[in-house]
Amino acid sequence: MTTIVAIDQGTTSTRAIALGSDGQSRLLLSREHRQFYPKPGWVEHDPRELMAILEDCCAAAGECGDLAALGLDNQGESCLAWDARTGEAVTPVIVWQDARTESAIEALKRQGAEAMVRQKSGLPLDAYFSASKLGWMLAELPEVRRLHERGHLRMGTTDAFFRDRLTGRFETDVTTASRTALMNLETLNWDPELCRLFGVPLDALPVIGPSSGDLGLIRCGAKRVTLTASLVDQQASLYGHGCRRPGDLKMTFGTGAFLLGINHFDGRQLSNEATQTVGWQKSGEPPVFALEGGVYSAASALNWCRGLGLFKDFSELAVTYTSSAASKGLVFVPALSGLACPHWDRSARGSWMGLSLHTTATDMVQAVLEGVAFRTAEVFLALERNQPVNGRISLDGRMTENVFFVQFLSNVLQRELSLSSEPELTAIGTATLAAEATGIDSGYVARQQVITPGESCASLQELFTAARTATTAFAGSARKPTSTISK
């Protein structure tokens, strides 16, 4: 039996998952890493810590005696800069959640740059994407400027850093590049005009390549194994869900909630709500395109509630609610890191509305679960306006272990949901793509539970909309970082 190992490098942890040709997966190693919040709105990781964990995952993969190939997925928009000579990072990893460039983004909007960014990259102007983060590094960090002046600067998303260190090839894949706002969706190359706009030197960026194929050799213990897949974690999840046709859609509820659906891309600009991205590209084949929309705070909102002491253990959330919190007038807006699709408002903040002396901690947590469902419905409708969705919607992620949440989401959407029993669909997608690149059938067969919608929640969605509108209008909600981008 052959084995493919997928390394899933996520926002809070890194996991190595082995997928055998019998279709069975097993966890080889899982390590959490630290999150740093040096200033309000800033979120960072230590690149040395991430690299050390990644190397441990490679070593664990090397213990598989029948290891045929390796796959890697990464946390999308997170990025950093490093020295081309030594491979050592000279910045922290600036995480996708980080909003330090919000004021710079607003300045670009006032200059009228958003239409051009949308037309070329398929993405809105938002601090979420990598471009403004990379521009901030060059503008604000002297060491980054010195390296650039001497011709030794490398910068990009985390996958490029990992692959440079592990394979010796300074490359990224087309899915990750499509999340930077620096890649032209039609040419699939870095766009000089976008790079100039954000102040990112094109000569410091990695080569863009396919998501699968021969991507270089990685040392795994005593072995040297070919990396045959590398892509963004959400796109890997899309592949793991079995989405292959335009209109196929998946939802993943992790740190944030992310919706991806395959669509036809004919060069037309979408509405200002959804984002156009690349789903994957196999070596020698044309790319598969996808629509994407996200909720910045999903499971992270629950972790925040736990930190506040509203509950101690996630098992406490497995309660049977007799009615929804919204039906009792209590609504939570999960804008703890701002609002993504379809609003794109990083200044928005979270809130409970409808609190009273009778409100309990349980009510407040229930409202959080419902708030994530309501926000997900907003994203879903934005995507469906651009691409009709086929049949059932496939779900995964830790929040889907909560029976109430999944049923409430089905009620809000009024759609059948297909709930996967596989907790590692992102890794499964990475491993499947890696296996296919080597001509191996992964043998994986999805096992799913169907959730049928109950009573419509249309009136409650309207209540949520009113709460979100009031929250975003609250004058004290705006956050005003002082960062700028040098153009």
Side-chain angles (χ1 to χ4, degrees):
M1 181 179 74
T2 57
T3 298
I4 305 292
V5 171
I7 300 177
D8 176 16
Q9 202 296 296
T11 307
T12 58
S13 67
T14 305
R15 294 166 296 284
I17 310 293
L19 180 64
S21 52
D22 60 356
Q24 300 299 307
S25 64
R26 59 190 175 94
L27 178 66
L28 299 178
L29 183 69
S30 179
R31 295 267 177 84
E32 292 187 354
H33 58 261
R34 294 168 294 171
Q35 317 290 309
F36 300 96
Y37 308 95
K39 295 182 182 180
W42 292 31
V43 188
E44 298 177 351
H45 295 154
D46 180 352
R48 296 165 189 80
E49 182 181 16
L50 297 187
M51 195 68 237
I53 295 173
L54 207 68
E55 289 171 344
D56 288 344
C57 286
C58 291
E63 297 298 316
C64 299
D66 48 3
L67 182 60
L70 200 67
L72 171 67
D73 64 76
N74 60 278
Q75 50 172 302
E77 302 77 7
S78 302
C79 54
L80 71 160
W82 62 102
D83 190 325
R85 299 164 298 176
T86 64
E88 291 298 318
V90 294
T91 70
V93 171
I94 301 181
V95 182
W96 58 270
Q97 298 161 304
D98 189 285
R100 72 185 64 189
T101 62
E102 183 183 334
S103 64
I105 289 293
E106 291 304 315
L108 291 176
K109 287 181 179 179
R110 289 192 296 271
Q111 294 169 22
E114 184 152 28
M116 184 270 284
V117 173
R118 272 243 178 222
Q119 189 273 324
K120 286 177 172 286
S121 73
L123 305 176
L125 267 173
D126 194 276
Y128 171 38
F129 305 108
S130 312
S132 63
K133 296 175 170 65
L134 294 169
W136 181 91
M137 293 176 196
L138 196 65
E140 301 294 335
L141 303 178
E143 178 62 18
V144 174
R145 289 198 298 274
R146 280 194 292 270
L147 284 175
H148 181 235
E149 290 165 2
R150 297 168 184 172
H152 302 311
L153 178 65
R154 287 184 175 173
M155 60 192 331
T157 43
T158 54
D159 64 313
F161 175 65
F162 300 146
R163 291 171 62 177
D164 189 24
R165 291 282 295 268
L166 294 171
T167 70
R169 290 163 55 169
F170 181 38
E171 298 174 348
T172 187
D173 94 292
V174 68
T175 70
T176 316
S178 75
R179 307 305 297 162
T180 62
L182 295 173
M183 189 190 81
N184 188 304
L185 268 183
E186 295 195 51
T187 66
L188 303 185
N189 290 315
W190 302 121
D191 188 277
E193 190 175 5
L194 290 173
C195 287
R196 283 194 298 272
L197 177 72
F198 289 102
V200 178
L202 199 153
D203 59 1
L205 294 173
V207 173
I208 301 174
S211 310
S212 67
D214 183 350
L215 306 181
L217 291 172
I218 292 179
R219 182 168 296 283
C220 297
K223 305 173 183 176
R224 289 177 67 81
V225 182
T226 304
L227 179 71
T228 58
S230 178
L231 70 168
V232 176
D233 51 8
Q234 295 306 320
Q235 276 83 334
S237 173
L238 183 71
Y239 205 80
H241 277 273
C243 297
R244 300 291 186 272
R245 304 170 300 149
D248 287 353
L249 177 76
K250 71 90 186 178
M251 301 178 177
T252 297
F253 293 90
T255 302
F258 294 96
L259 286 65
L260 250 72
I262 297 175
N263 80 315
H264 290 293
F265 175 63
D266 57 8
R268 291 182 300 113
Q269 186 172 344
L270 301 173
S271 71
N272 287 338
E273 299 174 338
T275 65
Q276 182 74 65
T277 190
V278 180
W280 61 81
Q281 184 184 30
K282 298 180 180 180
S283 182
E285 297 184 12
V288 172
F289 290 95
L291 291 176
E292 190 263 357
V295 179
Y296 290 137
S297 299
S300 60
L302 290 175
N303 289 331
W304 172 72
C305 287
R306 184 172 61 170
L308 292 178
L310 296 179
F311 67 95
K312 293 182 180 179
D313 189 86
F314 284 100
S315 62
E316 298 174 37
L317 305 187
V319 298
T320 302
Y321 300 105
T322 56
S323 61
S324 74
S327 68
K328 295 181 284 189
L330 178 63
V331 174
F332 180 75
V333 181
L336 299 172
S337 297
L339 292 168
C341 176
H343 312 292
W344 301 107
D345 181 1
R346 290 303 289 256
S347 68
R349 291 294 175 267
S351 68
W352 278 283
M353 303 196 74
L355 294 168
S356 75
L357 292 174
H358 301 290
T359 301
T360 66
T362 299
D363 293 334
M364 295 172 75
V365 175
Q366 182 186 3
V368 171
L369 291 168
E370 294 176 11
V372 173
F374 287 133
R375 273 289 294 123
T376 300
E378 292 185 328
V379 178
F380 172 79
L381 290 174
L383 267 61
E384 192 171 43
R385 280 191 283 271
N386 289 280
Q387 171 69 59
V389 174
N390 302 329
R392 293 172 185 158
I393 303 168
S394 188
L395 306 185
D396 74 313
R398 185 172 182 181
M399 282 187 69
T400 62
E401 296 172 8
N402 187 284
V403 175
F404 168 79
F405 172 74
V406 173
Q407 185 61 63
F408 189 81
L409 179 63
S410 179
N411 296 351
V412 169
L413 295 173
Q414 283 296 289
R415 300 291 291 251
E416 283 191 343
L417 305 179
S418 182
L419 182 61
S420 174
S421 61
E422 171 58 62
E424 299 287 357
L425 269 180
T426 298
I428 293 295
T430 302
T432 300
L433 199 59
E436 291 173 357
T438 62
I440 297 172
D441 181 357
S442 70
Y444 176 74
V445 177
R447 298 173 294 280
Q448 299 176 326
Q449 173 189 357
V450 176
I451 310 298
T452 304
E455 184 178 354
S456 171
C457 295
S459 62
L460 300 182
Q461 183 77 46
E462 291 176 4
L463 183 65
F464 174 82
T465 300
R468 174 182 48 71
T469 302
T471 297
T472 55
F474 178 56
S477 67
R479 179 171 56 198
K480 300 177 180 179
T482 58
S483 61
T484 58
I485 293 178
S486 176
K487 291 175 60 182

